[in-house]
Amino acid sequence: ESTGGSGGGDSLVPTDLEAGWNEFKPGGETICSRGSEYAYWVRPGTTNKVVIDFIGGGACWNSLTCSVADAIFEDSVDSVRERVADDSPTGFYDHENPENPFADWYHVIIPYCTGDIHWGDSVTVYDEGTEDEITINHKGAVNSRAVLDWVYANFEAPEQILVTGCSAGSYGAALWSAHVMEHYPESQVFQFGDSGAGVITEEFFQESFPSWNAEGAFPAFIPALDPAEVDIEAMALPDLYAGIANHFETQWMSQYTTIRDENQYFFYQAMGGGAITEWTAAMTSSIEEIEGRADNFSAFIAPGEQHCILPYANFYTVESNGVKLTDWLKDRIDGTAVPSVKCQGAECDGETP
């Protein structure tokens, strides 16, 4: 039951959550890639604000990347279960840290175990009829909807919402932020994509995207992103960001990445891409395109090659061009428009900052 609010007024917030992380098993159509049970976690806050956090963990799109032996994606929720059981959280999971801009917010974790960047709704059989045949439940959209349904039922009108996630979760956060913005028109929604710049090869979408059957997750209420009106397989990430940002002009969209993200580069290579300099140039170009198409988007490009910042201790110390990421986020949450921050000169040269 959810009544009355610690958030003040008559706003509906959950009041029956225990301290720490609460595990929910939604059942129904939810499932992980290889058939294990799906679950999600919620931590109570003390204010009518909520973090919706899409977890990362690789992706799979063919028999090689989806295989058990060489799996490059999380195929169960076990790693999240272990993380929330840890009594020494780091990064923005540390709700006791006074430097955490989201310390007193409710925190909803949407785990990821489907290999489809939270977008899919398909049971796909790879290498069908061979000894390498493998069946994957690409049900990321089904799982995401189940968690968002809980959020919608338990939060009437949050003052502020952060829709975020790192790596594959960054793409989940980008796409599903549109649905959150649509559901909560009176709330201030911030989307923060951590280490998901969307640099892919042309072949990837054409050959792999159809395996996930992601069309149903797209925000069809935005004409520019309606699969019935546009060919989403011909899109790039700037189309998604600009489409959502321009439809919700009072909300904020953003991306964080390091200048030479080693994990994003690994996947770029796995898709057939070239050198790291090629990835960096494409990432920079993608962000500049979104900036040119949407006034309510800004980026934070940090030095180095670290992948993801949200879960790690240096979330509180990372800087670019003399600007601390936590200060940049706090300013935005407090209502200050923040320009893009991009590492310059020596700190962006060489292999490590």
Side-chain angles (χ1 to χ4, degrees), residues 171 197-205 235-237 268 271 279 282:
Y171 304 109
V199 177
I200 57 174
T201 58
E202 285 184 26
E203 296 79 22
F204 174 73
F205 250 168
M235 283 186 181
L237 197 65
Y268 183 60
M271 295 170 186
W279 180 87

Side-chain angles (χ1 to χ4, degrees), residues 2-17:
S2 303
T3 54
S6 51
D10 296 321
S11 290
L12 190 71
V13 295
T15 55
D16 58 348
L17 296 171

Side-chain angles (χ1 to χ4, degrees), residues 31-199:
I31 194 168
C32 286
S33 60
R34 306 192 200 279
S36 61
E37 186 177 29
Y38 188 72
Y40 62 94
W41 282 264
V42 182
R43 190 185 191 284
T46 57
T47 184
N48 187 21
K49 301 175 182 181
V50 59
V51 172
I52 301 174
D53 175 17
F54 289 83
I55 299 300
C60 90
W61 56 90
N62 55 31
S63 58
L64 174 66
T65 54
C66 294
S67 70
V68 178
D70 297 302
I72 57 172
F73 73 106
E74 291 281 350
D75 61 5
S76 77
V77 301
D78 292 345
S79 62
V80 177
R81 188 174 280 121
E82 290 166 12
R83 183 193 298 182
V84 300
D86 182 10
D87 59 4
S88 54
T90 54
F92 94 140
Y93 295 95
D94 182 2
H95 286 265
E96 305 303 316
N97 190 326
E99 291 299 303
N100 186 347
F102 314 102
D104 55 357
W105 294 36
Y106 285 80
H107 194 146
V108 178
I109 287 178
I110 302 184
Y112 173 56
C113 58
T114 51
D116 55 12
I117 62 174
H118 296 276
W119 293 9
D121 187 4
S122 173
V123 179
T124 303
V125 182
Y126 295 98
D127 283 358
E128 190 167 7
T130 75
E131 61 182 24
D132 297 322
E133 179 176 303
I134 185 166
T135 300
I136 296 290
N137 297 292
H138 288 304
K139 291 286 183 177
V142 174
N143 297 345
S144 296
R145 273 200 194 89
V147 187
L148 290 175
D149 284 347
W150 183 91
V151 172
Y152 298 161
N154 284 275
F155 293 90
E156 191 170 53
E159 293 164 30
Q160 295 182 316
I161 305 168
L162 176 75
V163 186
T164 192
C166 90
S167 196
S170 177
Y171 304 109
L175 186 69
W176 291 102
S177 71
H179 299 278
V180 173
M181 291 172 188
E182 177 79 354
H183 186 84
Y184 291 115
E186 302 302 314
S187 300
Q188 201 174 23
V189 182
F190 310 103
Q191 178 274 338
F192 178 73
D194 176 6
S195 305
V199 177

